[in-house]
Amino acid sequence: MPRYAFVLVPAIAAVGLAGLLLRQHRPSMVTIPGGAFQMGSTAPEIEAAELWYKQHSPDFPRELVLREQPRRAVSVSTFRLDTLEVTNQEFGNWLNQQKDLRLRDDRWAELDGVLLADLYPPYTPWHGLVVQDGRITAPVGTEHKPATQLTWEAARRYCVSRGKRLPTEAEWEFA
């Protein structure tokens, strides 16, 4: 075995362990200094989006891309944003902690009559949550993937439960 392997192998292992520990003890939020930017789409961007949609979904509603106009100057104040997405495991654990959570047809997760998640895999490759033995879980290998199949209201409630909030559309685009 080459000499550098005695240094390289422990170094790679240390980097992997550090990554795992950082994931568990990650800095949860960063501060994004406020500023101004152009929000919305230009006419050529709208045309390109319409063309793409028409090729992939012939009956798409045109208003989906038109709502990106007019392009305008927008200012945002300084705000805080999480550094990583919420994972399937984190979101599934939160759902399971909700009192009175109702699972309908092993697919719909509802609370207080509000849909929080659709646990049916609507796309391939699928990597979301599933219902097993009456509990919501992330299948092996999907635990650390970003949570999907949840509603805006579920994301909002999750953030509030953590003492946080969702970014506005302008803050998200700016960040």
Side-chain angles (χ1 to χ4, degrees):
M1 182 180 282
R3 286 186 192 171
Y4 63 83
F6 291 107
V7 174
L8 190 57
V9 170
I12 291 171
V15 169
L17 180 59
L20 180 61
L21 292 174
L22 284 175
R23 174 73 189 169
Q24 292 173 348
H25 304 300
R26 66 185 184 196
S28 64
M29 299 189 88
V30 294
T31 299
I32 309 291
F37 71 107
Q38 290 292 312
M39 185 170 163
S41 299
T42 63
E45 289 170 335
I46 295 287
E47 289 173 25
E50 283 184 296
L51 179 62
W52 186 90
Y53 274 111
K54 285 178 183 175
Q55 290 172 345
H56 294 86
S57 178
D59 57 341
F60 98 99
R62 188 166 192 261
E63 57 273 6
L64 284 179
V65 293
L66 292 180
R67 68 181 177 194
E68 292 296 317
Q69 290 184 325
R71 190 162 173 88
R72 62 211 174 275
V74 174
S75 295
V76 294
S77 300
T78 297
F79 61 99
R80 298 190 41 84
L81 191 66
D82 268 325
T83 57
L84 295 172
E85 298 94 345
V86 174
T87 66
N88 281 324
Q89 185 172 13
E90 291 167 333
F91 187 70
N93 288 343
W94 177 79
L95 280 173
N96 287 321
Q97 293 169 2
Q98 302 310 299
K99 292 182 180 175
D100 302 321
L101 183 73
R102 182 173 159 232
L103 291 174
R104 189 165 40 93
D105 301 327
D106 278 345
R107 174 178 177 176
W108 310 101
E110 298 174 339
L111 185 63
D112 304 324
V114 176
L115 178 65
L116 298 181
D118 178 357
L119 305 177
Y120 180 77
Y123 51 85
T124 304
W126 172 74
H127 62 276
L129 296 168
V130 296
V131 178
Q132 290 180 334
D133 301 323
R135 291 192 50 79
I136 298 168
T137 185
V140 174
T142 67
E143 304 93 342
H144 301 294
K145 292 187 179 287
T148 60
Q149 299 162 261
L150 58 142
T151 64
W152 181 90
E153 181 60 19
R156 186 193 71 74
R157 289 181 184 200
Y158 179 89
C159 288
V160 168
S161 76
R162 301 295 189 263
K164 301 176 183 181
R165 66 172 178 84
L166 286 172
T168 66
E169 179 183 2
E171 289 170 339
W172 183 252
E173 287 190 32
F174 181 76

